[in-house]
Each structure stands twice: as structure tokens, then as C-alpha cells.
Amino acid sequence: MPHNKEMITGWGRTQPVAAKIISYDPTSDGTSPFLQGPAIARGLGRSYGDAAQLGGGVAITLPDAINSASIDESGHLSVGAGTSIDSILARYVPQGFFVPVTPGTRYVTIGGAIAADVHGKNHHVDGTFAANVENFELLAPAGAYHVNPLESPEIFWATAGGMGLTGLITSATIKMLPIETSYMSVETRRIGDLDELLATMIGSDQNFRYSVAWIDCLAKGGRMGRSVLTRGEHATLGSLDARRARDPLAYKPRVRLSAPRWVPNGVLNLASVAAFNEMWFRKAPRHRQDELISLSGFFHPLDGVRDWNRIYGSTGFLQYQFVLPDGKEEQLRRILERISAAKVASFLAVLKRFGAANPGILSFPRPGWTLALDIPIGASHLGLLLDELDQEVLSAGGRIYLAKDSRCDAETIAAMYPRLGELAKIKEGLDPQGIIKSDLSRRLRLV
Ligand SMILES: Cc1cc2nc3c(=O)[nH]c(=O)nc-3n(C[C@H](O)[C@H](O)[C@H](O)COP(=O)(O)OP(=O)(O)OC[C@H]3O[C@@H](n4cnc5c(N)ncnc54)[C@H](O)[C@@H]3O)c2cc1C
């Protein structure tokens, strides 16, 4: 198995560690990668914190296996788990299939999507990624397992959302979504404050498959929660104009820019973010309907700038994402007020509705509201503020998302995810010697 030693981090570029990176090909490598010592699976490193790394240990990667993927007529796609959503879309959108759930970047692997049980803008309709997985192959130190939710629900739901801690997912079969075109039909609304935003989402999100709100979290007083709500559906063939209808499944996402290799710290400061937010809010239409937008423009706008995480400078950034149950809108307001008062510069603040939860032990989504904020590292009061917000989230019956976390503590996570004991038992059967671990699992004592 080819390997080399590298410094790696998550997407937030905090907590760099040296690790041995092993490229494991399940179709040709005979020996188990777990014989190399303490290890964790790694996809494309798009989790923000320390989930896909193990300082001093091994990170196991898989090849992008798009060339050996296969799909049947009803859209069941069988694919190696190192394959990215980017590769899947490039091959299957022109054939009329879209992934059932996509996060805000297409540069994630199928293994990473199952292990974090990722959600998209359609959780209130389609649930998480794992809800659309029919089965997967899992390689653990104790052996290899064919896993599906009906025959092996315990291993399935410990692994879906399990942050790589039960083993290496080597391949999976997922149910793709048939599409007629590669366009989205989109409604955009500019919304003046938080009350109006929550009422609009509660009142009519169910009429749209996809929904997401960008919030200006520096706005205060009567403008607190002002936002741009974007909702959409896959466009039908009949809704395309003649030019687009000539090649209705054309798919050519472009990466237009690349962030410079070195950016001074503090470029994203309060003044620059406030100016960006003002511009973003004003540029949005008050209300526009039936706009045709490309799949990549709608789902993956940030992927248009390569390595955009560098614009936060060498100190990096974190993402704080939490979910609060329905009925806890007052707590959501309080949290937004605190963020706005603390002048924490977040130009990416995104609110979504979650639908029903699944049985995943560490799966994040619960019915209610989820808010995600990208925040530069730097402000001296940031640590304290987020610790306090954790407690606010916890006391409201909410939780934070492990795929985004880089800073929470073990006690708080144990209270937010009360089934850690169950996970430990299942892991014990799959990994009796405790070979699989990550910096995240050590920091948060997950197993
Ligand atoms: C710009 C951006 C937008 C995002 N938007 C969203 C969003 O909308 N919704 C959302 O849910 N998430 C979102 N994320 C987070 C991202 O989808 C997840 O962190 C995802 O897990 C990253 O996949 P990856 O392949 O990069 O995995 P990595 O980050 O490399 O690993 C993530 C976890 O998966 C495990 N893992 C990876 N591969 C395997 C495997 N083969 N077998 C077992 N375990 C494995 C790792 O051990 C680790 O615990 C976003 C991230 C970015 C950078």
C-alpha cells in the first residue's frame, strides 16, 4: 500500500498534525490497512475540525473509483466509497440522475457523506444521505461486513453518522434521484427580520424540495435576522427555454477563481464582513420566482472558488452548527442576538429546517432549526462565547454537528449525544483492540 507522511488538517485549517497517509485500494490490496496501527478513514478532508485525522497515527484514503461505478435503470448506483460527489455528478447528471442529498460542497466522498450522515437543503423532504443508502461494505479490524438497514440495523446506524469510528466504508449502493434537466427552478425572497423568516419557512417550506436562508448575523434591533431565502425544485423539461432545451442535461460546473496561496490574517474582519452582508442583502431581489439556475450555482456556489478556506489566513476558521428543536424559536433568537452583539464576523450564516430524525447514534439532524456560522479564529472572546452557546443549545434540547466541530468538550457532547454507550458496544465487536480512533474521538471521548 503506498503511503507518505504529511501534515493534515480539516477544512478550517486549525489543529495541523503529522500523519501517515495510506492509499488503500479495496479491489486490489490484500492486507488490511488496520494492520498499520491506530487509524482513521479520511475522505477529501471537508469536515471542518479534527474528525478525519489522527496525530501520529494513520489516515486511510480510498481511490476515486468513478470509472468502475455502475447504475441500473431505476437509479441504484454502486460505487467505491472514495468516489466524490463531484465525479458522480459529472458522470450521471448527463444521464439524468442527481445525488439524493448533497452538502454545500460537491468535493466530499461517499464514505465521508455516510460517515457524517450529511444533510442538504432538502432534509425536511428527503432526510439525510444515509436515508438514501441501500447498503454498504464495511471493513473493520474484526472483518468485512455487508451492511444494510434491514438486516444489520445496528452496524448500519452506528456507521451512518459514526464519523469513521466503526471501520472503513469501502463501497456503497445509493438511490439516485431521476432529473429531467440540469437546472433548478428557484424562488428568492428578501426578508426583513427573524420573525418574518421563521414564519415564512414554517408556513411554506413544505412546498419546496430545497430551502435555505442566508442570514445577516451582524444586523441588530428591528433588522435582526434579515435574510435572503432561496427555495427551489428541479426544473422540468417543459420549463426550459429553447436554448437550454437543446441540451437539457448539460453539466459543466466551472471553478472560476482560486484563492491566493497566502492571505494575511484578518482580511475577513468586522468591517469587511459587514460590507459584504450589506451588499449581499441589497443585491438580492425582493421576490423573484421561476428563475432557472444551474445545479452547481444552486447547490455548490462556494466550489466556484478553489481553496476558498485560505481567505481566513493562517489562523484558520471554524464552523459552529447546531440544531434546535421546533418550539425553541426564542432560544434561536437569543443565540442570534448574542452573536450579533458579540460582533463575531460571520459572512456565511445559513439557516435550514430539518425534518424527521433517523436512528443514527451520532447522526446530527433532529426536527427543527439548524444554523451554521463560519467564524474566523482570532477574537479573544470567541471561545467563551461558543462555550456559552453550547450550553444554551444543550438546555434547549439541541446539539452541535460533529463534522463541523473543532472545539467542544466531552461532557457537553455526551449530554447532546446520549447513546455513546451503544456506539462503544457495537465498536467493541468490530474493533476489539481499539485500533480505530481520530483526534475528534479522543478529544470528545466518543468511544
Ligand atoms: C463548503 C462546505 C460545505 C458543507 N456543507 C455541508 C452541508 O450542507 N451539510 C452537511 O451535512 N455537511 C456539510 N459540510 C461538511 C461535509 O459534508 C462533511 O464533513 C463530509 O463528511 C466531508 O466529506 P469528506 O469526504 O471530505 O470526509 P472527511 O472530512 O475526510 O471525513 C469526514 C468523516 O468521515 C469519515 N470518513 C471519510 N471517509 C470514510 C470512509 N470511507 N469510511 C468511513 N469513514 C469515513 C472520517 O473518518 C471523518 O470522521 C460542508 C463542508 C464544507 C467544506
Side-chain angles (χ1 to χ4, degrees):
M1 267 169 261
H3 64 264
N4 57 319
K5 202 138 193 181
E6 266 179 44
M7 294 299 288
I8 52 175
T9 67
W11 188 244
R13 301 175 78 218
T14 52
Q15 298 139 294
V17 293
K20 182 171 162 187
I21 315 284
I22 289 185
S23 311
Y24 173 69
D25 187 342
T27 60
S28 57
D29 287 324
T31 45
S32 166
F34 294 112
L35 296 175
Q36 309 270 337
I40 188 71
R42 183 173 175 90
L44 287 171
R46 257 46 179 202
S47 46
Y48 274 68
D50 49 1
Q53 64 186 50
L54 176 63
V58 173
I60 308 167
T61 63
L62 296 167
D64 189 308
I66 191 65
N67 290 332
S68 47
S70 62
I71 197 164
D72 67 16
E73 273 174 11
S74 37
H76 299 96
L77 171 72
S78 298
V79 66
T83 310
S84 66
I85 287 184
D86 182 45
S87 303
I88 292 173
L89 296 180
R91 173 177 281 207
Y92 291 107
V93 168
Q95 296 181 33
F97 291 107
F98 191 65
V99 284
V101 169
T102 176
T105 172
R106 61 184 179 270
Y107 298 117
V108 304
T109 62
I110 293 303
I114 297 173
D117 197 10
V118 300
H119 56 271
K121 300 172 182 179
N122 54 339
H123 187 275
H124 61 293
V125 176
D126 296 310
T128 62
F129 195 87
N132 298 280
V133 170
E134 311 230 309
N135 57 65
F136 55 76
E137 303 297 322
L138 182 73
L139 181 65
Y145 303 80
H146 177 76
V147 184
N148 70 52
L150 293 177
E151 286 157 14
S152 26
E154 289 199 334
I155 300 183
F156 188 94
W157 291 113
T159 302
M163 303 309 291
L165 297 171
T166 57
L168 180 69
I169 302 158
T170 53
S171 64
T173 301
I174 55 183
K175 178 87 180 72
M176 298 282 280
L177 181 73
I179 47 172
E180 292 181 18
T181 77
S182 58
Y183 295 92
M184 299 298 296
S185 172
V186 178
E187 182 210 69
T188 307
R189 268 174 201 275
R190 212 202 277 181
I191 293 195
D193 63 31
L194 188 63
D195 285 339
E196 190 188 341
L197 176 64
L198 302 185
T200 309
M201 291 176 83
I202 289 173
S204 49
D205 260 14
Q206 67 276 11
N207 302 335
F208 297 85
R209 185 166 210 147
Y210 301 97
S211 168
V212 66
W214 166 87
I215 298 189
D216 175 359
C217 58
L218 290 177
K220 284 203 179 69
R223 300 191 312 170
M224 215 269 301
R226 71 174 181 170
S227 41
V228 179
L229 178 61
T230 313
R231 303 188 287 187
E233 300 288 341
H234 291 280
T236 56
L237 204 48
S239 66
L240 297 194
D241 49 61
R243 180 180 64 80
R244 289 182 173 104
R246 274 198 288 278
D247 190 2
L249 289 164
Y251 181 71
K252 295 184 189 82
R254 269 184 232 125
V255 178
R256 285 190 205 85
L257 292 168
S258 189
R261 283 213 69 75
W262 182 82
V263 179
N265 294 329
V267 166
L268 287 182
N269 54 35
L270 211 53
S272 60
V273 171
F276 171 87
N277 285 5
E278 190 64 36
M279 182 278 292
W280 196 253
F281 184 73
R282 300 219 166 273
K283 167 175 124 12
R286 272 181 204 289
H287 184 205
R288 183 164 57 201
Q289 267 178 304
D290 303 327
E291 185 188 9
L292 289 176
I293 297 186
S294 68
L295 288 171
S296 53
F298 184 77
F299 288 103
H300 309 126
L302 289 168
D303 289 344
V305 183
R306 198 187 307 280
D307 298 329
W308 62 262
N309 56 343
R310 289 201 210 123
I311 59 178
Y312 284 88
S314 61
T315 44
F317 68 118
L318 58 80
Q319 187 170 102
Y320 190 68
Q321 181 171 3
F322 61 85
V323 55
L324 292 183
D326 281 324
K328 298 293 176 183
E329 289 74 19
E330 266 323 296
Q331 282 82 348
L332 180 62
R333 172 189 307 284
R334 253 202 324 265
I335 292 177
L336 269 167
E337 274 166 2
R338 296 200 57 183
I339 289 166
S340 151
K343 299 195 165 139
V344 173
S346 174
F347 85 110
L348 252 187
V350 168
L351 185 72
K352 297 180 207 167
R353 300 268 304 137
F354 276 161
N358 67 35
I361 296 177
L362 291 186
S363 185
F364 165 67
R366 285 282 169 278
W369 303 95
T370 182
L371 181 70
L373 307 155
D374 277 0
I375 305 173
I377 304 290
S380 56
H381 59 298
L382 183 60
L384 192 60
L385 171 73
L386 296 181
D387 288 348
E388 288 172 7
L389 295 189
D390 287 345
Q391 296 316 312
E392 181 95 45
V393 169
L394 180 59
S395 64
R399 48 170 49 169
I400 64 165
Y401 187 12
L402 295 172
K404 308 289 177 72
D405 181 55
S406 52
R407 42 145 301 275
C408 198
D409 61 78
E411 290 69 29
T412 306
I413 290 294
M416 290 174 171
Y417 290 89
R419 296 168 59 205
L420 292 183
E422 264 177 70
L423 177 66
K425 263 200 205 120
I426 295 167
K427 183 171 187 289
E428 172 114 28
L430 297 166
D431 177 23
Q433 287 161 332
I435 289 169
I436 304 175
K437 50 184 80 150
S438 62
D439 287 345
L440 175 92
S441 76
R442 292 199 287 208
R443 175 169 58 83
L444 298 177
R445 299 198 292 276
L446 293 178
V447 280

